[in-house]
């Protein structure tokens, strides 16, 4: 323990050094005084606190002592005494005020301190980083973004999300130049990020005026290009690569708003058509529905050329999941059929005569692709028989669901506890969603019986999960006595790293009236190590 009299002498000496430096016109001549301050950083507690203020204050005047000064200050940051550490952290931005070459190193140090346990210490770190951002936003952001995604520095993402992004209007000036700069930084950071990190960045980019509502189509193409890169659409697909499947589906959902604004989804559709749909049966069960829902939601925004290209694959899948005839024991996944019918309608609306050879229709456009001289009557017979079976199964299921809804109402009236009432309320919501699914199927199957059907290409059918009021456990529905766990609901959405894009509104559990068994579908972006890749970069202070 330092003798009080010695500590008093050290403090007095420090004040003398500081006063002489303050008064000196040419401070660079007072080398001994600055050296004395540096040495005092190794003495008593109070001397260390004072040195933590003086070292950065006069740092710029003594370039030859810069290494010694920085090392002494970093020792103070590692002190056991909280007061010393906090004072040293507060002084870090001063090192860069007139010596910007130190900025990147100081940002590195502060980033490692973001995970400090003490609130007052963490608050000092936040304020120091914000001070640097206001000193030189471009250089500070560049240094800060080097730490994105580091396993050793996970708090960087949180700091950027909670402290930097909300102040974009203040920090990103001049606006166009700095928005472009931070966009480029984000793009460089996306080589290895988790799903949550990627979504955070995409949400931020969408908030910039650079990509606002008045942005040209080229900017939308840029965002789609970023999402396509994250989806890894140039990679050979491996059905056992769960990470790639998750990224692909998640990115599809994230891309949907940009398709709505005129960006092309051709690359996504081509990849689905070439790599995914042919191996659909081999996909993990919890991902099949996610994919079909994403495909349904993208289908209204496809081009005629893309629609014609992918329609045959969709028709094959649709027929596969529509039973040929009712035998009393068949099973049907209602939400699969809802998704595929919706997709089929919207694709066929833009390429109607392609259905002539697929379903035996007689649609005349005057083009050779009408193929009216060929006999596809067997296709028509097969397709319409399947439609009839689907309608019979759907009506039978609706009857049971309607009865189930009445039963739920009786149970609600008899329920005595809040827990019981909440459980019944959820069951009612699930049953209602199941009825929406069934109504949609009947609305979409009816026009397809005609030889020259009118395909639905507007918003007259609202997908069942889009109307759900709150997320629920993923569900199943099995028709006509079957009890196989067949999912009738949609994908989940969480705020964690297992969250997925806009597939979050869930289709509800509908099979309680049929005594079916619910089956969970994980709604997440899983990854290699960190989610979408694994990376760990360790940095020492020095």
């Amino acid at each position: 323990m330092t003798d009080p009299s010695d500590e008093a002498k050290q403090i007095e000496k420090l004040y003398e050094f500081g006063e002489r430096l303050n008064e000196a016109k040419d401070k660079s001549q007072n080398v001994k005084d600055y050296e004395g301050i540096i040495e005092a950083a190794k003495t008593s507690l109070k001397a260390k606190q004072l040195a933590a203020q003086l070292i950065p204050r006069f740092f710029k005047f003594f370039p030859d002592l810069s290494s010694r000064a920085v090392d002494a200050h970093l020792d103070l940051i590692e002190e056991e005494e909280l007061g010393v550490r906090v004072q040293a952290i507060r002084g870090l931005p001063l090192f860069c005020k007139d010596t910007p070459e130190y900025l990147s190193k100081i940002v590195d140090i502060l980033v490692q301190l973001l995970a400090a346990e003490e609130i007052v210490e963490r608050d000092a770190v936040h304020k120091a980083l914000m001070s640097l951002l206001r000193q030189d936003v471009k250089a500070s952001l560049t240094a800060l973004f080097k730490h994105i995604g580091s396993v050793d520095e996970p708090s960087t993402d949180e700091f950027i999300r909670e402290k930097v992004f909300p102040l974009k209007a203040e920090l990103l000036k001049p606006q166009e130049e700095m928005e472009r700069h931070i966009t480029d930084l984000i793009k460089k950071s996306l080589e290895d990020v988790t799903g949550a990190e990627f979504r955070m960045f995409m949400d931020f980019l969408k908030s910039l005026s650079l990509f606002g509502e008045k942005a040209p189509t080229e900017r939308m193409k840029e965002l789609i290009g970023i999402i396509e890169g994250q989806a890894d659409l140039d990679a050979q697909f491996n059905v056992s690569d769960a990470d790639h499947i998750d990224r692909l589906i998640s990115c599809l959902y994230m891309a949907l708003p940009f398709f709505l604004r005129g960006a092309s989804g051709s690359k996504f559709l081509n990849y689905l058509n070439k790599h995914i749909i042919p191996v659909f049966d081999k996909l993990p069960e919890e991902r099949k529905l996610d994919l079909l829902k994403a495909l349904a939601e993208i289908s209204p925004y496809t081009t005629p050329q893309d629609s014609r290209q992918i329609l045959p694959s969709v028709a094959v899948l649709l027929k596969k999941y529509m039973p040929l005839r009712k035998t009393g024991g068949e099973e049907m996944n209602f939400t699969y059929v809802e998704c595929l019918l919706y997709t089929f309608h919207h694709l066929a609306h833009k390429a109607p005569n392609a259905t002539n050879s697929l379903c035996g229709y007689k649609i005349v456009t005057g083009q050779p692709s009408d193929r009216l001289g060929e006999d596809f009557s067997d296709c028509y017979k097969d397709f319409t028989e399947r439609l009839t079976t689907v309608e019979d199964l759907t009506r039978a299921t609706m009857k049971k669901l309607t009865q189930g809804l009445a039963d739920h109402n009786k149970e609600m009236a008899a329920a005595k506890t809040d827990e019981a009432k909440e459980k019944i309320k959820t069951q009612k919501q699930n049953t209602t969603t199941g009825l929406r699914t069934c109504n949609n199927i009947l609305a979409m199957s009816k026009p397809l019986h005609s030889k020259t059907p009118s395909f639905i290409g507007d918003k007259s059918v609202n997908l069942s999960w889009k109307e759900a009021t709150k997320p629920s456990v993923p569900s199943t529905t099995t028709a006509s006595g079957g009890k196989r766990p067949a999912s009738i609901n949609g994908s989940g959405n969480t705020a964690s790293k297992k969250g997925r894009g806009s597939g979050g509104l869930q289709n509800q559990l509908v099979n309680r009236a049929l005594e079916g068994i619910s089956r969970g579908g994980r709604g997440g972006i899983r990854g290699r190590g960190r989610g979408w890749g694994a990376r760990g970069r360790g940095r020492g202070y020095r």
Side-chain angles (χ1 to χ4, degrees):
M1 183 174 178
T2 305
D3 186 278
S5 62
D6 290 340
E7 184 175 63
K9 290 177 183 178
Q10 292 163 359
I11 296 297
E12 184 179 355
K13 201 69 176 171
L14 272 171
Y15 276 118
E16 289 178 9
F17 295 147
E19 286 174 5
R20 281 200 294 268
L21 282 166
N22 272 329
E23 294 170 358
K25 291 184 178 180
D26 184 0
K27 294 177 175 43
S28 64
Q29 299 301 310
N30 293 54
V31 176
K32 292 295 183 183
D33 291 330
Y34 195 61
E35 285 181 327
I37 293 171
I38 293 173
E39 289 304 314
K42 303 173 184 177
T43 58
S44 66
L45 182 63
K46 290 184 178 179
K48 289 176 180 178
Q49 285 183 289
L50 185 53
Q53 298 178 52
L54 298 175
I55 289 174
R57 184 184 299 174
F58 301 110
F59 177 75
K60 66 179 179 179
F61 301 109
F62 303 96
D64 293 340
L65 297 177
S66 59
S67 294
R68 284 178 59 189
V70 170
D71 285 345
H73 202 83
L74 294 182
D75 287 338
L76 297 175
I77 287 175
E78 295 176 332
E79 275 288 325
E80 290 186 12
E81 178 60 37
L82 177 62
V84 174
R85 296 202 307 271
V86 170
Q87 189 61 59
I89 290 167
R90 288 171 179 167
L92 283 173
L94 292 175
F95 282 100
C96 315
K97 196 166 186 179
D98 296 290
T99 49
E101 62 270 21
Y102 280 90
L103 189 143
S104 181
K105 181 178 179 65
I106 298 303
V107 170
D108 286 349
I109 294 167
L110 287 168
V111 162
Q112 293 176 77
L113 297 171
L114 280 169
E117 293 181 4
E118 298 288 344
I119 294 176
V120 65
E121 185 176 6
R122 201 160 58 243
D123 185 58
V125 173
H126 289 172
K127 288 179 178 176
L129 279 170
M130 294 309 300
S131 176
L132 290 174
L133 284 162
R134 291 184 172 98
Q135 282 182 34
D136 188 337
V137 63
K138 193 169 188 178
S140 297
L141 284 173
T142 301
L144 194 59
F145 268 78
K146 291 177 183 177
H147 298 266
I148 287 294
S150 171
V151 174
D152 299 317
E153 296 144 7
S155 299
T156 313
D157 303 355
E158 182 181 344
F159 175 77
I160 289 176
R161 181 180 67 250
E162 296 183 359
K163 303 294 183 180
V164 179
F165 285 173
L167 294 178
K168 65 178 185 292
E170 174 191 342
L171 296 174
L172 301 183
K173 293 179 180 179
Q175 187 181 49
E176 187 172 349
E177 176 188 340
M178 287 309 304
E179 285 193 352
R180 173 46 61 189
H181 178 65
I182 199 170
T183 297
D184 292 341
L185 288 176
I186 288 173
K187 289 166 76 171
K188 289 177 183 177
S189 302
L190 295 179
E191 293 179 3
D192 188 7
V193 292
T194 64
E197 289 163 353
F198 183 62
R199 189 173 304 102
M200 172 186 77
F201 285 133
M202 289 306 301
D203 287 343
F204 176 72
L205 290 177
K206 287 188 292 184
S207 75
L208 299 178
S209 61
L210 196 66
F211 302 103
E213 291 183 4
K214 297 180 181 179
T217 305
E218 289 72 24
R219 300 269 172 81
M220 294 302 100
K221 289 180 180 177
E222 182 178 359
L223 290 181
I224 285 291
I226 292 172
I227 298 173
E228 288 173 347
Q230 197 65 205
D232 215 3
L233 298 183
D234 293 321
Q236 182 63 39
F237 180 70
N238 181 351
V239 73
S240 64
D241 187 351
D243 176 62
H244 192 189
I245 297 171
D246 288 345
R247 278 186 289 121
L248 177 66
I249 294 171
S250 300
C251 288
L252 254 178
Y253 279 115
M254 278 186 265
L256 277 171
F258 306 114
F259 300 147
L260 183 60
R261 293 174 62 180
S264 171
S266 294
K267 196 168 183 179
F268 270 109
L269 288 166
N270 289 337
Y271 194 86
L272 290 174
N273 194 41
K274 182 178 179 181
H275 298 285
I276 311 299
I277 295 178
V279 295
F280 182 80
D281 286 344
K282 297 179 181 179
L283 294 177
E285 285 298 323
E286 67 270 20
R287 288 293 164 262
K288 289 180 180 178
L289 181 56
D290 295 336
L291 178 64
L292 290 182
K293 289 177 69 178
L295 189 59
E297 292 194 42
I298 195 178
S299 63
Y301 311 111
T302 57
T303 64
Q305 182 179 354
D306 290 335
S307 298
R308 185 175 295 277
Q309 184 177 8
I310 198 173
L311 189 56
S313 300
V314 170
V316 169
L317 270 186
L318 177 58
K319 291 175 185 178
K320 176 180 176 60
Y321 287 101
M322 293 197 304
L324 181 57
R325 53 183 60 87
K326 186 176 179 181
T327 60
E330 59 284 291
E331 301 164 347
M332 187 176 85
N333 189 309
F334 288 82
T335 311
Y336 279 21
V337 174
E338 179 192 13
C339 290
L340 288 165
L341 278 172
Y342 186 89
T343 303
F344 179 81
H345 266 283
H346 280 276
L347 297 179
H349 180 75
K350 282 164 279 194
N353 66 347
T355 62
N356 289 353
S357 59
L358 298 172
C359 308
Y361 292 138
K362 296 290 185 180
I363 296 172
V364 180
T365 66
Q367 301 297 318
S369 53
D370 289 347
R371 301 177 66 176
L372 296 176
E374 301 177 56
D375 183 10
F376 297 111
S377 55
D378 288 344
C379 292
Y380 178 77
K381 183 174 182 293
D382 176 84
F383 193 64
T384 52
E385 282 184 4
R386 292 179 187 276
L387 287 171
T388 299
T389 301
V390 164
E391 290 164 345
D392 290 344
L393 291 172
T394 301
R395 292 189 183 98
T397 299
M398 288 183 73
K399 185 176 180 180
K400 294 176 182 178
L401 288 174
T402 302
Q403 180 59 50
L405 200 58
D407 293 340
H408 293 328
N409 289 333
K410 293 178 183 177
E411 292 167 0
M412 180 65 81
K416 296 181 180 180
T417 67
D418 290 341
E419 183 180 357
K421 290 178 181 178
E422 187 61 32
K423 183 178 179 181
I424 296 167
K425 181 181 177 182
T426 300
Q427 291 173 341
K428 287 180 65 177
Q429 290 172 339
N430 297 333
T431 302
T432 301
T433 301
L435 286 169
R436 284 201 299 267
T437 297
C438 292
N439 278 320
N440 282 347
I441 290 173
L442 294 178
M444 291 186 287
S445 64
K446 183 178 179 180
L448 298 180
H449 286 278
S450 169
K451 277 278 188 180
T452 56
S454 295
F455 300 111
I456 298 170
D458 56 19
K459 297 180 180 179
S460 58
V461 173
N462 197 4
L463 291 163
S464 60
W465 64 88
K466 304 294 283 185
E467 295 181 3
T469 55
K470 70 174 184 178
S472 174
V473 178
S475 68
T476 69
T477 293
T478 303
S480 299
K483 293 186 180 180
R484 179 174 61 91
S487 178
I488 190 166
N489 83 319
S491 55
N493 186 17
T494 71
S496 70
K497 289 189 178 182
K498 289 188 177 183
R500 183 170 38 258
S502 55
L505 289 177
Q506 292 204 349
N507 217 359
Q508 309 292 322
L509 190 110
V510 302
N511 64 321
R512 292 299 176 93
L514 305 177
E515 297 181 349
I517 305 171
S518 67
R519 176 173 184 166
R522 289 169 291 174
I525 295 174
R526 299 172 312 209
R528 301 182 294 260
R530 296 184 56 250
W532 288 351
R535 171 177 60 186
R537 296 176 295 190
R539 290 184 179 85
Y541 284 153
R542 306 171 192 276

